[in-house]
Amino acid sequence: MPIEVTSPSALYSEHVNPQWVKLLDVLGMNVSYTRCSGSELFTEDGTCILDFLSGYCVHNVGHNHPSVVAALKEELGRSGPAMLQSHVPEAAGELAARLCKLAGGRLSKVFFASSGSEGIESAIKFARAHTGRTGLLYAEGAFHGLTCGALSLMGNPFWREGFGPMLPGAEQIRFGDAQSLEAKLSTRQFAAFIVEPVQAEGGIRIPQREYLQTAQQLCRKYGTLFVLDEVQTGMFRTGKFLAAHHYDLNPDIVILAKALSGGLIPIGAVLMSDAVYKSVYSSLKRAIVHTSTYSENGLAMRAGLATLEVLERERLGKRAIERGNELRRRLRETLSGYEMVRDIRGIGLLSGIEFQAPSKISLRVAFDAFQRIHSGLFGQMVVMRMFRDEKILTQICGNNFMVLKAAPPLIVEETQIDQFVVAMGRVVELIHSSSTFWSDALGLARRALNI
Ligand SMILES: Cc1ncc(COP(=O)(O)O)c(C=O)c1O
């Protein structure tokens, strides 16, 4: 019997997540996309929206890259063994070899997963098995995923509330603070220090080179594994294959996901040293002691191989550096002098525009009213304006609501960088000069929250 559809999002609202639909409706962002290509998203009514979010750093090669789509069609067309769980998936070997070569250092083995969170969960298990310790250290501001183990490595109560207890032995330290790291590590209770080399959701926080190098040295000194979460920063997002390469790091474990399969198939990969790998798969008896059904499936592996080829062939790392530098230079030029713009920072094509509370009294009153309603309201209103007025998709950082993230696909064109900068300039001007920005937003928030 056919299911009666009353509106395009009605079934989703009824059976998946009504609150999400409501939120998108309130923000005027609930549009129906019919085609996505490169950096452009086309809606039902023919509007073209420029993507400066990339699905949180998933679409590094652009939406539906023809080479990745062709590789997937070919894989489907050959009716091969997608997942037998009782054979050697050759494409997984091929993809692992290419990942290890690109990553370098001590990373020579790969465990494949189906998401970033599953990669983090696996890294926790591997680190515990290798060190025989249970403690886990993570940095304040981190985002590692929302499964229980990964969530235990995130201090923000917003994500944790109602889901405890968290993993015992997980402890938070300040990001960028080598002294407190050493104080913890010296207890020799920690299996791993798990850290994003550049915190993405934390607000595009780029640490000092010395911090990460010291952190690695300290981990080695005290027998703790140095684990880098490159779920957002990997796959040339910051210009190099890994952000670790900017800092000359040699981690014990690296977690990749998101952009690895061209944004088309779920994937995750945990790269590690031989020694770590052997601690888990130590004998014939333990050959499948840690596995996951979809982890080495043919489509994900083919998508991964095709994506790597595109990233290298189109030299998207070099492009990320050049376009990223240009983007930030132009943003600084356009936005300097506005009192609510505190900083513009980034690396490669991972950039953040940080806002701050205004001091001018008229702006301050409105801003404080926003803060009283919700600390994310101001940022969300900027996102809404960018979307509705400027037809550009952006988001604020998940753990730092005052930072607007700009992370377009790495294939972004110069003209699209221009379009973003001009749009940002108009929205920032509106924030500072027009009461409409504030009054519209307050009205909308009150209606949505019934206050
Ligand atoms: C740095 C980082 N690590 C891990 C994750 C979790 O990845 P997933 O959502 O694929 O589970 C995310 C997701 O945004 C992330 O940004």
Side-chain angles (χ1 to χ4, degrees), residues 218-234:
L218 291 171
C219 283
R220 299 264 144 81
K221 180 173 169 192
Y222 295 110
T224 296
L225 294 186
F226 184 55
V227 178
L228 294 183
D229 177 345
E230 296 241 20
V231 168
Q232 282 208 44
T233 52

Side-chain angles (χ1 to χ4, degrees), residues 3-135:
I3 297 172
E4 200 183 316
V5 182
T6 48
S7 86
S9 29
L11 290 178
Y12 185 95
S13 204
E14 195 172 338
H15 299 288
V16 185
N17 187 344
Q19 299 299 347
W20 175 238
V21 176
K22 196 172 159 191
L23 182 60
L24 287 175
D25 282 341
V26 166
L27 295 173
M29 292 175 72
N30 187 7
V31 297
S32 184
Y33 296 98
T34 48
R35 194 170 66 83
C36 305
S37 173
S39 304
E40 295 177 330
L41 317 171
F42 297 91
T43 65
E44 246 170 0
D45 63 0
T47 306
C48 175
I49 291 169
L50 181 61
D51 185 5
F52 258 63
L53 177 61
S54 301
Y56 297 95
C57 299
V58 167
H59 299 288
N60 288 9
V61 296
H63 290 264
N64 296 305
H65 193 289
S67 301
V68 184
V69 171
L72 286 171
K73 282 186 178 162
E74 195 185 320
E75 183 62 24
L76 280 171
R78 80 183 186 101
S79 298
M83 255 185 307
L84 296 182
Q85 319 298 357
S86 51
H87 81 308
V88 175
E90 286 152 20
E94 214 183 309
L95 180 57
R98 290 188 67 176
L99 289 174
C100 292
K101 188 154 183 247
L102 281 163
R106 56 183 64 195
L107 304 168
S108 62
K109 289 279 196 297
V110 179
F111 172 78
F112 285 105
S114 302
S115 70
S117 307
E118 193 197 339
I120 298 285
E121 300 292 331
S122 306
I124 292 173
K125 284 179 73 181
F126 278 91
R128 284 181 163 179
H130 183 69
T131 58
R133 302 176 182 176
T134 55

Side-chain angles (χ1 to χ4, degrees), residues 160-166:
R160 289 179 166 225
E161 203 182 301
F163 298 118
M166 298 290 125

